[in-house]
């Protein structure tokens, strides 16, 4: 966990993106262990449409997925081949969403149908297999946070613990 900071809620405000580095996205059996799969140096280029998505945390508690005209879409979302294409509802950032950063619990909660950080399929206790399975609430564990980086973990069932490392982006 990270040290308690009463001003942390304010420090998260702004725009964040996945870190364009090896291991920014990964999965494994425990925090810090991404041996099951993690992105290599080519993934930020191949999936550039995912790594340029912005997660905006407003000072009023609002949250937005800003994906532009393309994000990384997988076959479970109804496309024949995974790749960069138009976001698929409800994981398209259109719905209103909010967030709560709970320093004492070390969690970041995102509320809003389809709102997410990292990969849309990763939710608490599962990896969804259809857009119809979208959830309205996701709770991430904050394992590290500074003014410019944030590392989140989420348990997605069967012992799979996903990691998403974010960096602050220019607003």
């Amino acid at each position: 966990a990270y040290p308690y900071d009463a001003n942390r809620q304010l420090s998260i405000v702004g725009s964040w993106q996945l870190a364009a580095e090896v291991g920014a996205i990964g999965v494994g059996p425990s925090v810090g262990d991404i041996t099951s799969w993690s992105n290599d140096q080519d993934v930020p280029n191949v999936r550039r449409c995912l790594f340029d998505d912005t997660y905006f945390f407003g000072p009023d508690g609002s949250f937005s997925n800003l994906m532009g005209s393309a994000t990384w879409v997988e076959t479970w979302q109804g496309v024949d081949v995974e790749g960069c294409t138009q976001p698929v509802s409800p994981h398209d950032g259109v719905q209103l969403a909010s967030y709560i950063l709970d320093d004492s619990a070390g969690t970041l909660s995102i509320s809003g149908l389809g709102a997410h950080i990292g990969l849309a399929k990763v939710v608490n206790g599962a990896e969804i297999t259809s857009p119809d399975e979208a959830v309205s609430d996701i709770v991430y564990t904050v394992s590290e946070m500074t003014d410019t980086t944030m590392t989140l973990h989420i348990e997605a069932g069967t012992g799979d613990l996903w990691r998403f490392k974010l960096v602050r982006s220019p607003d």
Side-chain angles (χ1 to χ4, degrees):
Y2 54 93
Y4 177 78
D5 179 348
N7 295 316
R8 185 67 67 200
Q9 188 77 19
L10 294 176
S11 70
I12 196 174
V13 170
S15 299
W16 297 77
Q17 295 179 310
L18 287 168
E21 62 186 47
V22 172
I25 302 174
V27 63
S30 61
V31 173
D33 181 343
I34 53 173
T35 55
S36 298
W37 180 86
S38 65
N39 70 281
D40 61 21
Q41 68 274 7
D42 294 331
V43 169
N45 293 322
V46 172
R47 298 185 187 192
R48 70 192 167 286
C49 57
L50 173 63
F51 281 78
D52 71 0
D53 289 351
T54 298
Y55 310 101
F56 180 76
F57 299 89
D60 59 353
S62 62
F63 173 78
S64 300
N65 289 96
L66 304 171
M67 295 174 256
S69 62
T71 192
W72 187 256
V73 177
E74 298 177 321
T75 55
W76 67 268
Q77 293 172 292
V79 296
D80 292 332
V81 178
E82 63 182 33
C84 292
T85 192
Q86 182 175 359
V88 176
S89 179
H91 301 101
D92 56 4
V94 172
Q95 296 75 14
L96 295 176
S98 61
Y99 74 95
I100 296 173
L101 180 64
D102 184 334
D103 276 309
S104 60
T107 59
L108 173 62
S109 301
I110 305 293
S111 296
L113 185 63
H116 65 281
I117 295 172
L119 299 174
K121 69 181 177 184
V122 180
V123 300
N124 297 108
E127 288 184 20
I128 62 174
T129 59
S130 166
D132 295 337
E133 297 173 358
V135 299
S136 294
D137 295 290
I138 300 177
V139 179
Y140 300 90
T141 299
V142 182
S143 59
E144 182 182 339
M145 187 165 188
T146 71
D147 289 337
T148 58
T149 64
M150 176 174 24
T151 303
L152 307 174
H153 287 86
I154 182 170
E155 198 280 316
T158 65
D160 289 333
L161 194 69
W162 281 89
R163 172 175 81 185
F164 303 108
K165 182 176 181 185
L166 307 174
V167 293
R168 188 177 293 277
S169 60
D171 292 329

